[in-house]
Amino acid sequence: SSGINAEWPLRPGVAKELTSHEEYIASVKKEFGRSRTKEFSAHNSKAHCVAWNSNGKYIASGSVDKTAIIQSFKDDRLSREFSLKGHDDAVDQLSWHPTDPNILATVSTDKTLRLWDIRTPSKSVGCIVTKGEVINMTWKNNGSTIALGNKDDLISFVDYKSQKITSEKEFGFEVNELAWDNMDTNFYLTSGSGTIHILEYPSLVELMVLPAHTAHCICLKFSPDKRHFATGGADALINIWDVDELVCLKSYSRLEWPVRTLSFNHDGSLLAAGSEDLVIDISHVATGEKITTISCNAFPFCCSWHPSQNVLAFVTDDKSKHNEKHSRDSDKTTGCVKLYGL
């Protein structure tokens, strides 16, 4: 019951694979053993979201202060470059174009989607009025379309070039995170009843419903190696799935509270999971073994691995400066982007 279904003696390749996993886990644990969390000032009030661009030179964060801040990453440091202003309310979600490192999409409580080109940061290059308040957003892998999910479980598809909503579909159940599969042929969404719904794209005909969690299935992420996807739920479980077979390969829980955010590292070997436990759990995908735990001062809203280095960015539910006038610590940490792995 070691979790490895292997006949003895081990068939050629299995022993080698197990050894290579052990060696990799040992090396990554050693690498992170020297790591500390560094905080970089970004916003006046709490940041809700954070993401690296496709080449890892820039990071964007969105905040209750109505701005998205772009910082450059060099020599293990973040340096503030631009403040993207235009939204009339909190920036709740942001997502970079999958391949163009200059294009960023942001959505706000003001019920708009804005598109930005950071080469001309003074104003957005597009503004699309959304139906309702958007709580989830994702790009198609080829960058042609953005999917938006709102609080009323309506999913809208925005054509990037024409900047128009081209189709939409309302669902009769709570819709949480959205994602295209790696081939852009199927569209996945997670539900309030713990299931994963797989739809054909663009017809949105339902192909399959996978039972995944015993409570809300909150988040879903595809691995860059195209072999796996991960889900996190209100049942505190993290599940790793095989993309081709659509079977759950691993299910583990070191967390007590709902899993709110997931991110695979650049080669798909590590998974970061942030929860209301005030920690981010980093695990080895192939074995589920814990690599390390990052302590957070408040629960992590969002985490994002650098696209080519083992550096994890995250933002947490920091106390607002305005509410905590007497606390010096809260002043320092409010609206910070935090980096781990330096």
Side-chain angles (χ1 to χ4, degrees):
S1 64
S2 66
I4 297 152
N5 302 322
E7 291 175 11
W8 198 263
L10 294 173
R11 71 175 191 275
V14 173
K16 189 177 175 187
E17 196 176 297
L18 297 182
T19 312
S20 69
H21 284 329
E22 284 168 11
E23 287 170 358
Y24 177 76
I25 289 166
S27 73
V28 178
K29 281 184 175 176
K30 190 175 174 186
E31 179 188 340
F32 286 139
R34 298 186 290 268
S35 294
R36 296 285 175 271
T37 299
K38 289 188 182 174
E39 297 183 344
F40 298 91
S41 164
H43 299 275
N44 297 325
S45 36
K46 69 177 72 168
H48 275 171
C49 46
V50 67
W52 296 94
N53 74 341
S54 60
N55 62 19
K57 288 183 179 173
Y58 292 100
I59 195 167
S61 53
S63 166
V64 174
D65 69 10
K66 307 178 189 177
T67 68
I69 298 289
I70 308 295
Q71 302 195 72
S72 57
F73 180 59
K74 196 177 179 187
D75 302 326
D76 286 351
R77 290 197 61 75
L78 294 181
S79 306
R80 189 181 170 120
E81 298 289 341
F82 324 109
S83 177
L84 305 180
K85 294 177 180 172
H87 283 296
D88 296 324
D89 211 331
V91 177
D92 291 324
Q93 298 278 338
L94 48 75
S95 186
W96 291 91
H97 188 287
T99 54
D100 187 332
N102 298 304
I103 303 298
L104 178 72
T106 56
V107 291
S108 163
T109 315
D110 68 10
K111 300 179 183 172
T112 64
L113 160 69
R114 285 184 181 266
L115 294 164
W116 309 83
D117 185 329
I118 62 169
R119 291 166 295 193
T120 54
S122 58
K123 62 191 282 260
S124 59
V125 293
C127 180
I128 296 104
V129 176
T130 60
K131 294 192 175 177
E133 198 177 314
V134 172
I135 52 171
N136 280 298
M137 166 170 63
T138 188
W139 286 84
K140 200 173 172 194
N141 294 290
N142 66 8
S144 67
T145 309
I146 303 167
L148 307 173
N150 76 9
K151 279 188 171 173
D152 302 316
D153 309 312
L154 176 82
I155 297 180
S156 306
F157 295 90
V158 178
D159 180 72
Y160 169 56
K161 283 215 163 77
S162 70
Q163 296 186 9
K164 287 187 168 58
I165 294 173
T166 52
S167 66
E168 53 190 37
K169 181 166 180 172
E170 196 169 338
F171 290 83
F173 55 85
E174 181 188 315
V175 173
N176 293 319
E177 192 141 20
L178 324 166
W180 272 274
D181 66 3
N182 293 306
M183 306 300 291
D184 284 338
T185 51
N186 293 332
F187 190 74
Y188 285 55
L189 37 105
T190 64
S191 84
S193 57
T195 51
I196 304 164
H197 294 249
I198 304 175
L199 316 176
E200 188 183 50
Y201 185 80
S203 72
L204 302 184
V205 170
E206 190 167 270
L207 300 174
M208 191 180 291
V209 179
L210 299 175
H213 294 269
T214 56
H216 298 254
C217 185
I218 297 169
C219 39
L220 180 147
K221 283 288 182 293
F222 277 86
S223 167
D225 69 2
K226 300 185 168 34
R227 290 167 54 199
H228 304 109
F229 64 91
T231 56
D235 54 7
L237 285 177
I238 299 158
N239 294 338
I240 309 282
W241 300 78
D242 181 288
V243 165
D244 298 323
E245 304 294 328
L246 295 176
V247 292
C248 183
L249 300 173
K250 292 247 164 345
S251 183
Y252 55 92
S253 181
R254 288 183 281 271
L255 304 167
E256 307 268 322
W257 293 88
V259 180
R260 291 283 172 196
T261 177
L262 293 171
S263 181
F264 282 97
N265 76 331
H266 59 94
D267 61 6
S269 63
L270 302 176
L271 180 70
S275 88
E276 294 174 26
D277 294 67
L278 311 190
V279 297
I280 296 173
D281 176 279
I282 297 179
S283 60
H284 180 238
V285 171
T287 62
E289 188 173 329
K290 180 173 104 169
I291 299 293
T292 190
T293 303
I294 307 169
S295 295
C296 302
N297 60 330
F299 100 73
F301 281 130
C302 181
C303 65
S304 175
W305 284 104
H306 187 279
S308 60
Q309 300 176 36
N310 280 340
V311 174
L312 185 74
F314 61 100
V315 291
T316 59
D317 185 15
D318 303 322
K319 297 284 183 284
S320 169
K321 287 179 184 173
H322 310 295
N323 303 342
E324 297 272 326
K325 287 189 173 134
H326 306 300
S327 167
R328 284 185 174 172
D329 285 351
S330 72
D331 272 14
K332 284 184 205 154
T333 60
T334 301
C336 281
V337 172
K338 301 164 178 74
L339 296 186
Y340 178 84
L342 302 174

